[in-house]
Amino acid sequence: MHVMTMPIDPLADLAAVEAKIEAASGARPLAFAYPFGFHCDETEALLRARGYLLALTCENRVDAVAPGEGLLTLGRFNRSANLGREEFFALLGIK
């Protein structure tokens, strides 16, 4: 989500999705995955204001997080549905 190019009201859109998640699960979402990994300072501020604790980008990386650091731009490793768990971990050098 990039606030500056969104054709809709991002706050209203996010609130609507949160309401659906809460209705289905009984819990308010605290984690967010940026669509296609796109994010900016405005989206981080919006998520922080909505009470999110962490958010994932699409950047393939391991994050070293120190106490007190923000968790709204964490990297993640995307895995194709065609790639098994063992193969995926082997590509990362994990046995």
Side-chain angles (χ1 to χ4, degrees):
M1 170 175 26
H2 193 287
V3 174
M4 303 309 285
T5 60
M6 294 291 290
I8 56 173
D9 176 3
L11 182 57
D13 187 50
L14 185 57
V17 171
E18 289 169 349
K20 288 180 182 179
I21 292 170
E22 191 166 356
S25 70
R28 181 170 163 69
L30 300 176
F32 187 86
Y34 294 107
F36 305 104
F38 299 131
H39 61 93
C40 62
D41 291 342
E42 291 86 358
T43 55
E44 290 175 40
L46 176 63
L47 293 178
R48 193 174 298 106
R50 301 288 302 167
Y52 283 83
L53 301 179
L54 66 94
L56 302 167
T57 68
C58 287
E59 298 168 16
N60 290 325
R61 68 170 195 266
V62 173
D63 292 289
V65 181
E69 285 187 358
L71 301 175
L72 294 176
T73 57
L74 295 174
R76 66 177 167 176
F77 290 90
N78 295 303
R79 179 179 67 144
S80 164
N82 300 323
L83 190 63
R85 182 175 53 107
E86 292 81 12
E87 293 172 286
F88 178 69
F89 287 135
L91 287 172
L92 297 176
I94 301 170
K95 296 184 180 187

